[in-house]
Amino acid sequence: MNKSGTSKTLVKNTVMLYIMNITKIVLPLVTLPYLTRVLSKDCYGVVSYVKAVMQYMQVVVDFGFILSATKDVVNCKEDKKKLSYIIGDTMLAKLILVLVSFVALVIMIYAIPILRPHALYTILSFVVVAMTCFLMDFLFRGLEEMHVITIRYVLMRSIAALLTFVFVKNDTDMIWIPILDIIGTSVAIILVFFEMRKRDIEICFTGIKSALIKLKESAIFFLSNMATTTFTALNTLLIGIYVDAAQVAEWSVCLQMVSAVMSMYTPITDGIYPHMVKSKDWKLVTKTAKIFMPIVAVGCIFTFVVAKYALLIIGGEKYVAAVPLLRAFIPLLFFSFPSILFGWPALGAIGKEKETTFTTIITAFLQIGGLLALLLIGQFNVINLALLRGFTEACMFAMRYRYCRKFKGEFAI
């Protein structure tokens, strides 16, 4: 493909991923306020907790295949027979992980009081996680056809969101929430298999041994994702233990706003990742940084200035007190983009998976150490916690950039 064609593909894929990420932001902002109003606090607490558990289950089932399997697809997408076996072996590996995760979930349901009375709800929520094995994100990312991922995501989430307003009216309707997700995901799976058939792509299985090899190859990516997950997991756990309910609410609102902004970064980095695997183009990384870092900086300044008004719009008058907290998240907003950019899209593209994962694990230990230090000196509060996240993100960016400079000779300059 010539440079013009490559640029058009990158732009198209980035636009598609932006549409998907905007959907990820908009639909929760529409349904969340509705659910908090029609469900009691206790009921919504169960919904939120189960959702958090499923996020960790999803990380296990995904097991880093969104990166490792995408790279495999990029490297053999012209060979449809080999591609079919990559799809089949990856799917089988994911199904093994589903089985392991389900066993762990059953133990959790038995052991955790909040889950025990809602076993059916929890299991139905897990069905949605299991069904994601058939959505084939890695395939269409590797083929650089992000529009397929975007269309099926928008479709499945829109169906679930719209039906929520129809079927969920009070606590007794809580069970409909995972059922509606199952319906939406089923439609998305049908669409994915239609797209595969249209491209004459089949699914072939080599066997359990090959699936286990896939798991081994993807383990390094999984460790990185799990280390990243510990940031949110440990923070949320400790906040629930050591601060009052009002601060928990303020933390949740501010974190949702920050997460919405940070989700706008990933389409850029996800859009260039398949191209970087092929080209290892260092100039593309630096050009991306030069274009978007000034925009990120302006956005951070804008956030500082309009923090009060943003909280008024999103949370209402009672959340204006969280202005200092929202501003404390600004370092995280600034450093997270270059941290992501110089991670998998740069280091991962030249085969430095171990180095990328090492930076994430070290950052996780820094975060844990910082949390313990705040607890020991009696300074554990949501503002210091937000500042700590910004500091650890800056450290991760510094380590990744240093590795990129160290291995610069392995990029195509």
Side-chain angles (χ1 to χ4, degrees), residues 376-391:
L376 288 172
I377 64 176
Q379 294 298 316
F380 186 90
N381 57 61
V382 289
I383 292 178
N384 285 340
L385 188 54
L387 291 171
L388 175 63
R389 274 296 291 118
F391 170 74

Side-chain angles (χ1 to χ4, degrees), residues 211-332:
L212 293 175
I213 291 172
K214 287 289 180 189
L215 287 171
K216 183 179 178 181
E217 291 173 349
S218 194
I220 193 73
F221 297 95
F222 169 70
L223 287 173
S224 179
N225 288 339
M226 278 303 292
T228 302
T229 304
T230 60
F231 297 153
T232 304
L234 195 56
N235 289 349
T236 304
L237 175 64
L238 291 176
I239 285 171
I241 295 172
Y242 288 101
V243 302
D244 58 48
Q247 288 189 71
V248 172
E250 291 175 2
W251 172 271
S252 299
V253 169
C254 291
L255 187 60
Q256 185 170 343
M257 294 168 69
V258 169
S259 298
V261 175
M262 288 171 60
S263 69
M264 303 301 285
Y265 299 161
T266 51
I268 302 167
T269 54
D270 286 354
I272 70 171
Y273 178 70
H275 177 70
M276 283 297 299
V277 171
K278 290 187 298 182
S279 67
K280 299 172 177 55
D281 187 354
W282 174 249
K283 287 183 179 178
L284 177 60
V285 176
T286 55
K287 183 179 179 182
T288 303
K290 288 176 182 177
I291 291 172
F292 289 100
M293 281 310 296
I295 298 172
V296 170
V298 170
C300 289
I301 295 169
F302 181 76
T303 301
F304 185 89
V305 173
V306 305
K308 177 181 177 180
Y309 306 103
L311 284 165
L312 271 172
I313 294 169
I314 300 297
E317 186 73 34
K318 58 186 177 182
Y319 285 98
V320 172
V323 168
L325 175 58
L326 183 57
R327 287 174 174 168
F329 273 115
I330 289 176
L332 174 61

Side-chain angles (χ1 to χ4, degrees), residues 96-115:
I96 292 171
L97 293 168
V98 166
L99 182 60
V100 173
S101 300
F102 182 71
V103 172
L105 183 66
V106 170
I107 295 171
M108 291 174 68
I109 291 171
Y110 178 79
I112 300 175
I114 195 173
L115 295 180

Side-chain angles (χ1 to χ4, degrees), residues 71-347:
K71 182 180 284 190
D72 291 340
V73 172
V74 169
N75 291 331
C76 73
K77 62 183 178 182
E78 303 302 327
D79 186 341
K80 286 194 174 180
K81 186 175 180 180
K82 191 173 181 181
L83 185 61
S84 297
Y85 282 106
I86 287 172
I87 297 167
D89 292 341
T90 302
M91 185 186 297
L92 186 56
K94 280 174 164 270
L95 291 172
I96 292 171
L97 293 168
V98 166
L99 182 60
V100 173
S101 300
F102 182 71
V103 172
L105 183 66
V106 170
I107 295 171
M108 291 174 68
I109 291 171
Y110 178 79
I112 300 175
I114 195 173
L115 295 180
R116 203 178 304 137
H118 305 283
L120 179 60
Y121 179 88
T122 306
I123 290 170
L124 286 174
S125 298
F126 181 76
V127 170
V128 180
V129 174
M131 292 173 72
T132 61
C133 294
F134 306 101
L135 291 177
M136 312 294 185
D137 273 17
F138 66 90
L139 170 63
F140 294 102
R141 285 177 187 269
L143 295 175
E144 296 185 78
E145 296 185 14
M146 309 300 187
H147 65 282
V148 177
I149 300 171
T150 299
I151 292 169
R152 66 90 180 151
Y153 181 86
V154 172
L155 191 63
M156 66 188 269
R157 292 305 176 200
S158 298
I159 290 171
L162 291 172
L163 292 178
T164 297
F165 295 108
V166 177
F167 290 97
V168 182
K169 302 295 183 182
N170 52 52
D171 287 5
T172 58
D173 298 326
M174 182 180 74
I175 199 69
W176 277 103
I177 295 173
I179 291 173
L180 298 177
D181 281 336
I182 290 171
I183 293 170
T185 306
S186 299
V187 173
I189 290 171
I190 292 169
L191 174 64
V192 164
F193 278 88
F194 172 78
E195 292 290 343
M196 288 176 63
R197 185 175 180 182
K198 191 165 72 173
R199 291 163 179 76
D200 196 28
I201 297 174
E202 298 179 347
I203 301 174
C204 299
F205 300 95
T206 306
I208 295 291
K209 187 176 180 180
S210 294
L212 293 175
I213 291 172
K214 287 289 180 189
L215 287 171
K216 183 179 178 181
E217 291 173 349
S218 194
I220 193 73
F221 297 95
F222 169 70
L223 287 173
S224 179
N225 288 339
M226 278 303 292
T228 302
T229 304
T230 60
F231 297 153
T232 304
L234 195 56
N235 289 349
T236 304
L237 175 64
L238 291 176
I239 285 171
I241 295 172
Y242 288 101
V243 302
D244 58 48
Q247 288 189 71
V248 172
E250 291 175 2
W251 172 271
S252 299
V253 169
C254 291
L255 187 60
Q256 185 170 343
M257 294 168 69
V258 169
S259 298
V261 175
M262 288 171 60
S263 69
M264 303 301 285
Y265 299 161
T266 51
I268 302 167
T269 54
D270 286 354
I272 70 171
Y273 178 70
H275 177 70
M276 283 297 299
V277 171
K278 290 187 298 182
S279 67
K280 299 172 177 55
D281 187 354
W282 174 249
K283 287 183 179 178
L284 177 60
V285 176
T286 55
K287 183 179 179 182
T288 303
K290 288 176 182 177
I291 291 172
F292 289 100
M293 281 310 296
I295 298 172
V296 170
V298 170
C300 289
I301 295 169
F302 181 76
T303 301
F304 185 89
V305 173
V306 305
K308 177 181 177 180
Y309 306 103
L311 284 165
L312 271 172
I313 294 169
I314 300 297
E317 186 73 34
K318 58 186 177 182
Y319 285 98
V320 172
V323 168
L325 175 58
L326 183 57
R327 287 174 174 168
F329 273 115
I330 289 176
L332 174 61
L333 283 174
F334 182 80
F335 286 108
S336 57
F337 179 76
S339 173
I340 296 168
L341 178 64
F342 288 95
W344 293 113
L347 287 173

